[in-house]
Amino acid sequence: MTKEHNRTEKSPGLPSFSSRWLAEVVRLQEEARPSLGPGPDDAEAERHARAQTQDSEQRIVDRAYFLAERSGALQALLNWRMHARWTLLALAVLATVSGFSAALTVLGDSGRPVNVVWALGALLGLNVLMFILWFLNMLFAGRAAGGSLGRFWLWLSRRFSGSDGVYVSHAFSTLSARAGLTRWYLAAVTHGLWSLLLVAALAGLLIALALRSYSFVWETTILPAEAFVRFVQVIGWLPAQLGFAIPDAELIRRSGVAATGGAGSVTLQSETQRLAWSSWLIGTLLVYGILPRLIALLICGSVLRRALSGVRLDLQSAAYARLAARLSPNSERGGVTDPEPGSLASAKLSSATGRLGKPALLGLELGARSAWPPLVAANVRTFDSVESREQRAAARNRLREEPAARLLVACDSNLSPDRGSLHWLAELSAFAGQTRIWLLNTESTDAQRYASWQESLTDLGFARQQIMVDETAALNWLAAAGTGGADE
Amino acid sequence: MSDQILTSLGKPLRIAVVGHTNTGKTSLLRTLTRDRRFGDVSFRPGTTRHVEAARLLVRGRVVLELYDTPGVEDPIALLEYLEQQAAGERLDGPARIHQFLDSPLAATRFEQEAKVLRQMLRSDAAFYVIDSRDPVLAKHRDELELLGSCGIPLLPLLNFVADAQAQEAPWREALARVGLHAIVRFDTVAPASDGERLLYEKLSTLLDEHRSTLQALIASHEEDSAGRHRAALQQIAEMLIDVAACRFPVRETSASELEKGVGALNKMIRQREQRCVDALLSLYDFDAEDIEGTELPMTDGRWEDDLFDPETLQAMGVRVGSGAAAGAAAGMGIDLAVGGVTLGAAAAIGALAGGGWQTLRHYGDRLLGRLTGERLLRVDDSIIRALGTRQLQLVQALRGRGHAALTPAAYSQGDDAALWPKTLPRPLRQARNEPRWSELNAAVDITARHDAVMTLLEELQQLSRQAD
C-alpha cells in the first residue's frame, strides 16, 4: 500500500516545462501505435489523474507522468536531458580551452612583436561576424532563427541520445516550436558558448600579458598611417569611456611598421606604450566581444525563463482535445434514478354479445389533415372525430346505448399510438360485435411508426387482418355488417 | 471564464425533459450531452420507461442535471382522475399532484405518468418537448394542464421544426393560450448552430436566479465548439502542408520507374488523407458508420472516390491541369529540373542570413540531384485543392450534425466551387519547395513546419468565417 500512497503525490521533481514535455512524449508514443488500443495501466492512470485536480491540462500531465513512470518514457526523458547537459558541458570545456589557446596563439611567442590589429581581428573577427549574422537572422527569419552553435549542440545531443530518445527530442522540438522558445534557447546556448570562449580568451590574454613581455606593432603594405590612427582611436573610444587607457595618436604612429621605412622603434617600447596597447586590446575584447554576447545571453535567458513558465499544452489540438474530453468530460451519465417496472397489465380487446345494432364508423384524433367523414353506405352510423374527454364520453355513451354489430375505428397513422388511445379502443370494443382499425395516411408515415402501430394493436388483441389500410376494403367490411359473415 | 463565476455556482440546476410519447426527448438529451449512446432511441413508442439522469459539467463541476422521463401517454384519463379525486376540495396544482401520487393508481394504471410528475416536482424547471409535426389535439391540451400544475416553469420546445410536415403556428397559438410564450425551436437531427445557446438563454429568462450558471454553460460550450473547429482546421492544414511538401525521388525517368514512383506517392497521399479523416471523425466523436450510406461518397469511414481520378476532381469543381493524361495518374507533377537556382555569392549570403546552414544544404541537395540525374515526384496543385475541398466539406457536415441523428448525413458535393481556384495560399506555395516541411519525407524541420501550419490555419479560419 505504500506504493499506492506514493502515487498520490503530484508529479514530483519535474518543473512545468518538463512535465509537459513528458506529456508530449507520451502522446507521440500513443499516436505511433494507435491500433494497440489502451494499455493495462490506462484506466488506472485516468483514475489517478481525475483524483488529483480539476484542471484538465494538469490531468493530462498527471496521466502522462503515471504512464511514463511505468513505460520507461520518464527514464528516457531524464536520460536525454542528462545527455544534453553533458554535451553542453563538453562543448563548454571545448570553448574554454579553445578560447584560451586562441589567445595564446594570437599573441605568439614573445620574441616577435604582436601585430595588434591582426591579433584583434583574429580574436574578434569571427565572433563579430557571427554575432551580426545572428542578429540579422533574428530580425528576418522570425521564429525559425537560432544560433548555429546552438543548433550544433542540439544536433549533437540528438546523435548521442539513441533510439529511445527519438520521441523525446521530437517532443522537445514540438513543444518548443509551439511556445516559440526554439530561437531563444538556441540563441542562449550560442551566446553562452561564445561568451565562455571569449572570457577564456580574455583570461589567456591577461595571463600571457602578465607573465610574458610583448611589444605591439601594426603593419601595413598599402594603407596610410592615418587610417590606423583613426581606426585605433575610433575603436578605442568606447573602452575609453569605461576607463581603459588607449594609445594616443603619436604612440600609434610610432608603433607602425611600414613597407617603406625602417623597422621602427619596436624593440625598445616603453612601459607606457606596452601598457597602453595592452589595455586597448583588453578593452576592445571586453567591449566588442564579451559584452555584446553577455548582454544577448542575459536577454535571451530572461525571455526564456519567463516563457518557460508560460508553456502550455495545446489543448485544442486534435490529440489533446480527445484526451481532455475523456479526462474532463463535459457530460456524464447519471444513471437510472427511477427504474422501469416489470410488465404491467394492459387493456385487452373484447367484444359485445347480445343485440347489436347498426355498424359504426368512428374517427380517433384525426385532426384537420384527413377528410372526415368519408362517404359511407346508408346504414352506417358516423361519429365525428373524437379527441377530448367529453367527446370520448359522448361517443362511448352512444355506443353503449346502441352497440354496433361492426365497429371501424379510423386512426391517423402519423401519430404515435399511445396507451391512452389504446385503452380507450379496448373500452370501445366492448360495445361492438367485431372491431377493426383503419389506419389513415399510411403513405406519409415512415416504416417504423407504422410497425409500431402494428405492434401496439396486436398487443391489444387485434389480428393482422383486422388492421386495414385500404379505404374501399374497410368501408365494404363495415357496410357488410348484418349479413352474418364471420370475421374473416 | 473567470474563476469567480465558477466558485459562485451553487447547486446544480435540475431540469426534467417531459412531453408526449415519442416526441424526441431522449434524442434531445443525446444532442445536449453530445453522447450518442445515451438512452435507447428508436421509433417505437414508449421506449423510455425509466427516468435517467445526465449531467453537464463546466470545468469539472456539475452545473446542470437533465432527467429523461417516460412519455406521457394517457393525459386525458389522468386529468379526469385527478379532478375526480380533488372534487370538493380546494387544492392547488401541486397539492393535487401529490394527492394523486399517494393514490393507488399511481402505481398501476398511471405508473408511467406518476414517474414523470414525481420528477417534475423534484426539478427546478422542465423542457416540454413537442413533435411539431403532430396536430394540436385535446390530449396535448390536457397534458399541458397537467404539467403546468406542477408549479415549476415550463419551457416548450418545438422539435422537428425543419421537417416538411411541421406546423408551428397552431402550436404557438395553443401554447400562448395557456400562457407559454417563451418557446424554443429545435431540430435534434440537424440542430442549428446556435440552437443550444438559444435554449439555455430562454431558460435563463425563466429561471432568473440561475442566470449565471446558464451563462457559464453557454460560454463553456461555445469555447469547446470553437476549439473543436480550430482543431479540425489544424488537422486539415497539417495534412495540406504535408502533401504539398511531399517528395518522392525516382532514379531515372524510365516508364516503369515513374509508374512505381507514382504509385508509391499516391499511396502515401491516400494514407495521409485517411489519417486526417480519422482524426476529424474522432474529434467530433463520430463513428465511421455514422457517415455511412450508399449514395454518399464515404464508406466505412473512408472516401469512396479515388482522389487521383480526373472525374473525382471535376465533380468537385477542381480544374484539372493540362498535364493530366488518361492513364497516367491525374495530378502528378514531375519536378524535372532544379533549374533556375544560381548559387551566386549573393544568394549564399542571403541564404545564410535568412535560414542559416539549412538553406545552404537545401540548395546543395538540389544541385547534387541535378548531377546524379535524380528526379523528384510531387503532387499537383489540383490534388491539393481537391483534398482541401473535401476535407472542409466533411468538417461542415460534422459540425452541422447533432448526435441524435439516426440517418446518415446528407452531403453536398460538386456544386460548390473548389478551394482557391486561382492560386494556392502562400504557405502551400512555399511548401512546394520545402521538403523538410512534410512528415511524409524523411527529415522534418518541426519549427518551420509548425509555423507554416499556423499560417495556413489562419487562412482556413478566415475562409470558414466567410463561409458561415
Side-chain angles (χ1 to χ4, degrees), chain A residues 137 141 143 316 318 322 330-335 337-339 365 369 387 389 418-420 423 448 452 455, chain B residues 20 33 35 43-45 51 53 55 57 73-74 83 109 113 115 133 138-139 224 231 235 282 353-354 451:
Chain A
N137 200 2
R143 292 160 70 105
Q316 297 190 337
R322 264 174 284 151
N330 276 337
S331 73
E332 53 188 37
R333 295 195 204 148
T337 56
D338 201 349
E365 292 174 351
R369 267 195 295 228
E387 269 185 39
R389 188 203 308 179
D418 58 35
R419 206 186 67 241
H423 198 269
Q448 279 116 323
S452 73
E455 207 179 324
Chain B
H20 202 70
T33 58
D35 180 354
F43 286 96
R44 185 144 187 275
V51 175
R55 292 189 212 116
L57 299 98
E73 288 200 66
D74 199 357
E83 287 175 359
R109 179 171 171 192
E113 284 75 18
K115 275 190 165 52
R133 301 171 298 189
K139 69 182 175 189
D224 288 345
Q235 284 290 317
S282 148
D451 287 338

Side-chain angles (χ1 to χ4, degrees), chain B residues 15-20 22-32 64 66 125-134 140 143-144 147 153-162 166-168 171-172 175 180-189 191-192 194-203 206 404:
Chain B
I15 309 283
V17 179
V18 301
H20 202 70
N22 234 292
T23 49
K25 297 184 287 302
T26 312
S27 289
L28 176 69
L29 274 154
R30 279 165 52 143
T31 302
L32 291 180
L64 199 65
L66 294 164
F127 291 151
Y128 177 58
V129 185
I130 296 166
D131 185 342
S132 49
R133 301 171 298 189
D134 286 345
H140 295 122
E143 198 172 271
L144 272 170
L147 296 173
L154 215 57
L155 181 59
L157 209 135
L158 290 174
N159 205 355
F160 303 112
V161 285
Q167 341 169 36
E168 267 189 65
W171 275 106
R172 281 187 182 270
L175 290 165
L180 295 171
H181 299 274
I183 298 172
V184 177
R185 304 172 75 243
F186 214 80
D187 195 309
T188 50
V189 176
D194 57 353
E196 266 186 48
R197 186 175 55 85
L198 287 174
L199 174 66
Y200 293 124
E201 275 182 5
K202 291 230 167 104
L203 186 62
L206 291 179

